Amino acid sequence: MNSQTPVEIVKAIADHGELKGVSHARRYGCDDGNDYVVKFTTITKTTVNELVGGKLASHLGLPVPKISFVAISKELVDSSESNVDAGLHLGIQFLERAVDFEGIDIDESNLYIKNSYVLPGVWCFDNWVLNGDRCNP
């Protein structure tokens, strides 16, 4: 994501269901060919923090997924088994090959991280912005 690129609005065309986690995020296929993780919050401090943090990380050259606003129609909500509000929601591009290491036994002798050179920057950035997912203030 280029830090100078405005945030796009994409249209959700398929509901792929709820993802694990406490935020009850859902995965949506959208008209730009990407899937997005959408957390259903109104415009709150958390939403603004995710948007500003993502743009700032991109500007600093850190690898971040695309951030878009996802327009979810009432028809799509009605046709799925979800209990969410139709409207415009912040979405983060779903990364198919991303791995959640929590609760996974890792054999360090076979561990290879393709972009390990970015880990110090990501770690510093997360701690700088007090990312609750990954920092210990």
Side-chain angles (χ1 to χ4, degrees), residues 42-67:
T42 55
I43 301 300
T44 63
K45 179 181 174 186
T46 302
T47 306
V48 173
N49 287 350
E50 286 204 35
L51 178 59
V52 172
K55 295 293 267 183
L56 183 57
S58 176
H59 185 70
L60 293 172
L62 297 173
V64 293
K66 180 179 176 183
I67 299 173

Side-chain angles (χ1 to χ4, degrees), residues 9-70:
I9 297 175
V10 296
K11 180 181 177 186
I13 56 176
D15 182 346
H16 297 305
E18 189 172 324
L19 301 171
K20 70 177 184 174
V22 297
S23 67
H24 303 287
R26 296 186 73 80
R27 180 177 168 186
Y28 286 91
C30 294
D31 63 351
D32 68 345
N34 293 309
D35 282 8
Y36 290 85
V37 175
V38 176
K39 296 177 184 176
F40 292 91
T41 58
T42 55
I43 301 300
T44 63
K45 179 181 174 186
T46 302
T47 306
V48 173
N49 287 350
E50 286 204 35
L51 178 59
V52 172
K55 295 293 267 183
L56 183 57
S58 176
H59 185 70
L60 293 172
L62 297 173
V64 293
K66 180 179 176 183
I67 299 173
S68 295
F69 285 107
V70 178

Side-chain angles (χ1 to χ4, degrees), residues 14 21 24-25 28-29 35 42 44 54 86 90-91 100 103 109 116 127 129:
H24 303 287
Y28 286 91
D35 282 8
T42 55
T44 63
L90 189 66
D100 180 0
S109 65
S116 61
N127 280 275
V129 298

Side-chain angles (χ1 to χ4, degrees), residues 46-121:
T46 302
T47 306
V48 173
N49 287 350
E50 286 204 35
L51 178 59
V52 172
K55 295 293 267 183
L56 183 57
S58 176
H59 185 70
L60 293 172
L62 297 173
V64 293
K66 180 179 176 183
I67 299 173
S68 295
F69 285 107
V70 178
I72 301 173
S73 69
K74 182 172 179 352
E75 294 77 23
L76 183 58
V77 170
D78 291 345
S79 70
S80 70
E81 296 178 9
S82 65
N83 186 23
V84 299
D85 293 327
L88 204 57
H89 301 278
L90 189 66
I92 310 296
Q93 184 178 3
F94 180 81
L95 302 176
E96 195 69 48
R97 294 178 45 146
V99 176
D100 180 0
F101 288 109
E102 188 173 330
I104 295 177
D105 289 329
I106 298 173
D107 177 3
E108 293 181 22
S109 65
N110 290 324
L111 182 63
Y112 172 74
I113 300 174
K114 184 177 181 178
N115 59 350
S116 61
Y117 60 92
V118 302
L119 291 178

